[in-house]
Amino acid sequence: MSKRTLIPIFLAIAIAIAGGMYYYFIGRRGSARTEQVFDWFRDTSSRPELMMTTGTKCGDAPFIFPTDGLIGFIWDDSFRPGHRHSGLDIFSGTEVGVMPIVAAYPGYLTRQSDWKSTVIIRVPDDPTQPGQQIWVYYTHMADPAGDSFISSDFPPGTTEQFVEAGTFLGYQGNYSGDPRNPVGVHLHISVVKDDGFGKFTNELDIENTYDPTPYFGLPLNANENSDTIPVCN
């Protein structure tokens, strides 16, 4: 067999091995939990013991829970090859515009002029890393067409408005940016890094976010919690 023939064979084997390793180490991450979540989607009244309640504080964690619902997906879950989830998704099991969302921690709220479903809150002093600034990002607060469920207290263009923990921010929605392909009704929340110059970084890149586990006192890192839905009383 010629070297030219062997090269494509070795390349195919290498790709297959890489794909297998990806599936084992990444694709399987959260698979047991994902199965539970989809079972719950089929009957959202089936697991009341897994539902978190707004305002709950787990142990001595600094953040309160921002909405009622089930934590379906957590930090660094993977939904497809190459994807790494940058926060946590909390599903209410209700229709859009029904389940309230509150601020998990005090800070200074901004809603950029083109944000239909999103606000971000600047926390000048990170309670888990004193002296560092962080940002807490809340999104999907709109319907598929982009009709916003954000509180009227925070119109587009709001900048640096102080809010206390527990302040009403809006309602869970299913806005995705594509009216033909809405997401499930939920809140996505993430803890975002500062760029070092007083601005927030791009939340879509997981490297720009922090593992939310110490902020909420729940096992919210998919690398460490591969099979359970986080909950505390």
Side-chain angles (χ1 to χ4, degrees):
M1 187 175 293
S2 70
K3 289 184 178 179
R4 287 187 177 181
T5 304
L6 287 172
I7 289 172
I9 293 174
F10 287 141
L11 182 60
I13 292 171
I15 291 172
I17 291 172
M21 291 178 67
Y22 178 88
Y23 173 76
Y24 185 80
F25 289 109
I26 303 295
R28 293 174 70 248
R29 184 187 305 157
S31 59
R33 180 176 52 256
T34 300
E35 185 175 341
Q36 294 180 68
V37 172
F38 279 95
D39 284 344
W40 177 82
F41 283 155
R42 286 185 279 271
D43 180 3
T44 56
S45 65
S46 63
R47 301 294 301 276
E49 75 278 9
L50 297 178
M51 300 292 284
M52 291 284 293
T53 303
T54 305
T56 299
K57 206 169 186 180
C58 298
D60 58 359
F63 283 15
I64 64 171
F65 206 69
T67 190
D68 285 8
L70 177 140
I71 303 172
F73 302 110
I74 60 178
W75 189 80
D76 215 4
D77 261 334
S78 182
F79 308 147
R80 58 187 180 277
H83 174 267
R84 298 176 68 191
H85 192 230
S86 59
L88 59 148
D89 288 350
I90 306 164
F91 295 88
S92 63
T94 67
E95 297 297 320
V96 299
V98 172
M99 186 57 67
I101 296 165
V102 304
Y105 197 77
Y108 297 85
L109 182 146
T110 289
R111 178 185 177 189
Q112 294 187 350
S113 58
D114 59 343
W115 284 0
K116 299 176 181 179
S117 71
T118 303
V119 299
I120 196 165
I121 296 177
R122 181 175 67 86
V123 177
D125 194 24
D126 181 348
T128 74
Q129 304 175 86
Q132 295 196 46
Q133 178 164 280
I134 56 171
W135 303 75
V136 187
Y137 177 90
Y138 305 74
T139 196
H140 299 305
M141 292 184 284
D143 70 11
D147 298 315
S148 182
F149 299 135
I150 297 172
S151 169
S152 59
D153 290 338
F154 312 116
T158 297
T159 303
E160 289 286 294
Q161 184 168 331
F162 181 73
V163 294
E164 295 282 4
T167 299
F168 171 67
L169 303 180
Y171 297 96
Q172 289 189 29
N174 60 353
Y175 180 73
S176 71
D178 180 356
R180 298 165 298 181
N181 189 32
V183 296
V185 178
H186 72 289
L187 167 68
H188 172 93
I189 181 170
S190 56
V191 182
V192 181
K193 296 178 182 178
D194 190 86
D195 68 356
F197 300 95
K199 304 293 184 183
F200 53 86
T201 52
N202 181 5
E203 186 270 349
L204 293 175
D205 183 349
I206 193 171
E207 300 299 335
N208 292 331
T209 64
Y210 289 111
D211 173 0
T213 294
Y215 297 92
F216 287 99
L218 289 161
L220 299 173
N221 185 329
N223 302 289
E224 299 167 1
N225 174 13
S226 62
D227 56 4
T228 63
I229 293 175
V231 67
C232 81
N233 297 317

